[in-house]
Amino acid sequence: ESKRSNGNKEEAGGDGDDEARESNDEARSDRAEAVMATVTIKNLTIWTTEEQLHEEFRRFGEIEHAIVVRGNHQVSHRYGYIKFRSEESARDAIAARDGSHFQGQILSVLHASQKD
């Protein structure tokens, strides 16, 4: 028997390695799907709220959450994220709202990347 770094015992060369690899692949796929269902919205006003983002983008599909990124003293960094339940909703939002006007600003709406 050999010990893995997480302390679980598995047979050397056994099916455990395949199961761990499949589990890692599934987790990676889930993260990729979450990223594809998440959009970044740039060029918001400093006054834009999560509720306003939710209201503006809900027509494209069910939203899990909307976030306006804020720094010290809750001052907006003028961008945010919306996580939709489906990739299709995210694509529709990007197609319809990228380059559109919202609260006097021209929005940049794009797929969130894992680096964002």
Side-chain angles (χ1 to χ4, degrees):
E1 288 186 15
S2 65
K3 276 193 174 184
R4 299 187 57 183
S5 62
N6 66 3
N8 292 335
K9 290 184 178 182
E10 295 194 18
E11 294 178 18
D15 291 332
D17 289 339
D18 291 337
E19 290 174 10
R21 197 171 8 265
E22 288 175 13
S23 178
N24 287 341
D25 290 344
E26 288 174 14
R28 205 172 294 117
S29 176
D30 290 346
R31 283 192 302 273
E33 287 176 19
V35 167
M36 295 308 291
T38 303
V39 297
T40 301
I41 302 103
K42 297 180 179 179
N43 204 30
L44 299 171
T45 71
I46 61 171
W47 303 282
T48 302
T49 66
E50 285 84 359
E51 293 79 15
Q52 290 167 330
L53 276 184
H54 192 280
E55 182 65 27
E56 189 66 23
F57 282 84
R58 70 185 180 129
R59 71 183 96 172
F60 301 108
E62 191 173 347
I63 294 174
E64 290 187 16
H65 61 264
I67 298 169
V68 173
V69 178
R70 299 181 189 284
N72 294 336
H73 308 291
Q74 294 299 303
V75 175
S76 173
H77 284 281
R78 300 187 61 206
Y79 70 97
Y81 300 97
I82 295 178
K83 183 176 181 197
F84 289 95
R85 290 239 181 228
S86 74
E87 291 178 40
E88 182 180 2
S89 296
R91 283 192 301 269
D92 291 348
I94 291 167
R97 295 311 311 262
D98 187 41
S100 69
H101 291 267
F102 177 64
Q103 297 180 336
Q105 301 291 109
I106 297 175
L107 297 179
S108 175
V109 182
L110 57 151
H111 278 292
S113 72
Q114 291 178 315
K115 294 180 183 178
D116 277 346

